[in-house]
Amino acid sequence: MSLQFNEVPDIWKHSRITPIHKGGDITDPQNYRPISIICVIAKVFEKLIYNQVSKYVENYNILSQFQSGFRPNYSTTSALLKLTNDVYSALDCGDLTGAIFIDLKKAFDLVDHYLLLDKLYAVGFSQNSLLWFNSYLHNRKQCVVIQGKQSDLFIQERGIPQGSILGPLLCSIFIKDLPLAFSYCSVHLYADDTVIYISNPYLTQIQNLLQSDFNALQEWLHSNNLLLNAKSHTMVFDTKRMFKQKSNDIKIMCNDGTYLHRVDQIKYLGLWLDPELSFKPHIDYILRKINFGTSVLYRSKNCFSYNVRKKLALQLILPFFDYADVIYQNTTKTNLLPLTIAYNKLCRFVIGCSYDTHHCIL
């Protein structure tokens, strides 16, 4: 009936927001992550719609080849591989690579419903499906629940429904034309995380071409009613031999007259990148996570059986090793040695042997 009459029941469009504290000042609303709980029946129905839309999008190549988010056979690792491989190729040719890591401000929450419907029409959605999506997007209501208290329902006038099945796919369709805005730089998208980059032997050329495409990006954001986050940064990938003088900085100006901050390391899609792609900052980061987790497990190792210890290691610790390992394994043996030591320590915990057991016996 929903498809027949192109309507989504109002009760299916109600959601409950539970804020989760991320850290920092507990009185600052910006330090909370809103978790949206929506109607279960609506999510089941959305899955049916998602299967149809996703199949249509894939069959007709609707999304850009430079998008990796929320697509079959695409992942954060594939996006990181594309970026790092291009940077490695440039370094092999003696070129520098300048990059802008762009963070869109509340991209999911700021999507204009009418612009989204226009873009769905542009990629071939029928009139009936557009009427259904119009009902799906509009007159959505939500409330906030915290410490057992519930706010009044208020209308969500903009944005993709958080916690929905269709939301990520709709957002991907909304930003699919972003790569068309660039004339000189390469680009890769993962949801609202975007990186634009260009390789050239001359830093001045890199700055000029990046600035030109960054201006085009700001125009695209303005025309699509989206905002640039202050967390956007620039980085120059180089080697110590190629780029020694720190004064040779790239300065990318925003429309408001401010400059993007240049950083020496940045966390992109969960992987810490540095100018030389040594991945030492990333290894140091995951080592802190691994060593802390392993030390906590060691305190209670006598309480668990072998099978339980193995499951704990597989589910709690090994994911830190495994994530993006095909990328950071390109670093030096010296950088990888602490990970080998941490891995052997984890094996000793699982097997239950003494601390001085040799790794060959493990």
Side-chain angles (χ1 to χ4, degrees):
M1 288 181 66
S2 176
L3 293 175
Q4 182 180 355
F5 295 103
N6 301 318
E7 274 192 42
V8 178
D10 286 341
I11 193 66
W12 286 11
K13 295 189 287 185
H14 291 180
S15 59
R16 185 177 75 248
I17 306 297
T18 301
I20 304 297
H21 186 235
K22 297 186 294 184
D25 184 4
I26 62 173
T27 63
D28 186 356
Q30 300 296 327
N31 292 331
Y32 288 82
R33 178 177 287 109
I35 305 299
S36 178
I37 308 298
I38 64 176
C39 175
V40 175
I41 299 177
K43 293 186 75 169
V44 174
F45 185 68
E46 280 188 43
K47 184 64 177 179
L48 302 176
I49 304 296
Y50 174 88
N51 291 338
Q52 295 185 42
V53 176
S54 179
K55 185 176 180 180
Y56 174 79
V57 165
E58 290 299 319
N59 289 344
Y60 291 93
N61 295 318
I62 301 298
L63 300 182
S64 166
Q65 61 177 318
F66 305 112
Q67 284 181 267
S68 289
F70 313 114
R71 301 178 66 182
N73 304 317
Y74 288 79
S75 65
T76 53
T77 300
S78 63
L80 289 165
L81 274 172
K82 177 67 170 68
L83 171 63
T84 54
N85 184 69
D86 289 348
V87 173
Y88 277 131
S89 299
L91 292 175
D92 289 343
C93 296
D95 291 345
L96 303 168
T97 299
I100 303 177
F101 294 89
I102 297 161
D103 188 21
L104 302 183
K105 187 175 182 180
K106 298 185 181 298
F108 275 66
D109 297 331
L110 294 179
V111 169
D112 186 289
H113 294 160
Y114 294 105
L115 277 176
L116 175 58
L117 291 172
D118 286 342
K119 294 190 179 189
L120 294 178
Y121 172 76
V123 299
F125 278 48
S126 67
Q127 181 179 1
N128 284 338
S129 62
L130 290 173
L131 289 172
W132 186 89
F133 274 105
N134 181 66
S135 175
Y136 171 78
L137 292 169
H138 288 93
N139 199 34
R140 301 192 71 93
K141 296 181 180 180
Q142 60 187 24
C143 65
V144 177
V145 177
I146 184 170
Q147 295 181 354
K149 303 294 180 63
Q150 178 175 312
S151 71
D152 295 331
L153 287 170
F154 57 96
I155 295 178
Q156 186 180 356
E157 296 181 350
R158 300 178 67 181
I160 298 294
Q162 295 280 7
S164 64
I165 303 295
L166 280 169
L169 181 58
L170 293 176
C171 189
S172 295
I173 296 174
F174 187 81
I175 64 173
K176 76 174 188 63
D177 56 335
L178 175 58
L180 301 177
F182 304 117
S183 302
Y184 309 104
C185 298
S186 301
V187 59
H188 210 92
L189 311 173
Y190 191 93
D192 57 343
D193 288 316
T194 304
V195 57
I196 62 174
Y197 56 98
I198 189 168
S199 300
N200 196 283
Y202 303 106
L203 199 62
T204 53
Q205 280 288 93
I206 289 176
Q207 175 169 312
N208 292 338
L209 296 177
L210 273 178
Q211 183 67 66
S212 177
D213 275 355
F214 184 64
N215 292 339
L217 167 73
Q218 293 181 93
E219 292 179 10
W220 185 91
L221 292 176
H222 179 72
S223 62
N224 285 271
N225 297 328
L226 295 177
L227 300 174
L228 189 69
N229 201 323
K231 295 179 181 178
S232 301
H233 300 297
T234 65
M235 177 183 282
V236 177
F237 293 96
D238 55 16
T239 64
K240 290 180 180 178
R241 175 181 59 83
M242 294 165 56
F243 190 68
K244 293 181 179 179
Q245 297 183 6
K246 202 169 184 179
S247 59
N248 292 339
D249 200 354
I250 59 171
K251 295 183 178 180
I252 305 298
M253 180 184 288
C254 302
N255 286 340
D256 60 3
T258 60
Y259 289 91
L260 295 180
H261 180 57
R262 178 174 176 263
V263 294
D264 292 325
Q265 54 183 259
I266 190 169
K267 190 178 184 182
Y268 177 63
L269 300 181
L271 181 73
W272 281 95
L273 302 173
D274 60 284
E276 299 174 53
L277 288 184
S278 70
F279 299 110
K280 190 175 186 310
H282 181 72
I283 291 175
D284 292 341
Y285 169 75
I286 62 174
L287 271 175
R288 290 193 295 270
K289 297 274 190 180
I290 291 167
N291 289 332
F292 174 77
T294 306
S295 63
V296 171
L297 293 178
Y298 255 100
R299 296 189 197 117
S300 308
K301 68 176 182 177
N302 295 327
C303 301
F304 307 123
S305 66
Y306 166 78
N307 288 332
V308 173
R309 291 198 300 269
K310 184 178 179 181
K311 287 182 179 180
L312 289 171
L314 287 171
Q315 297 179 14
L316 299 181
I317 308 298
L318 273 188
F320 292 117
F321 287 97
D322 293 341
Y323 181 72
D325 56 351
V326 295
I327 299 171
Y328 73 75
Q329 70 178 359
N330 292 310
T331 188
T332 62
K333 290 184 178 180
T334 302
N335 289 338
L336 290 174
L337 181 60
L339 283 178
T340 304
I341 295 173
Y343 184 79
N344 290 338
K345 183 179 179 181
L346 184 63
C347 290
R348 293 186 183 96
F349 163 77
V350 174
I351 298 172
C353 57
S354 63
Y355 179 77
D356 57 353
T357 304
H358 196 271
H359 65 86
C360 291
I361 300 176
L362 291 176

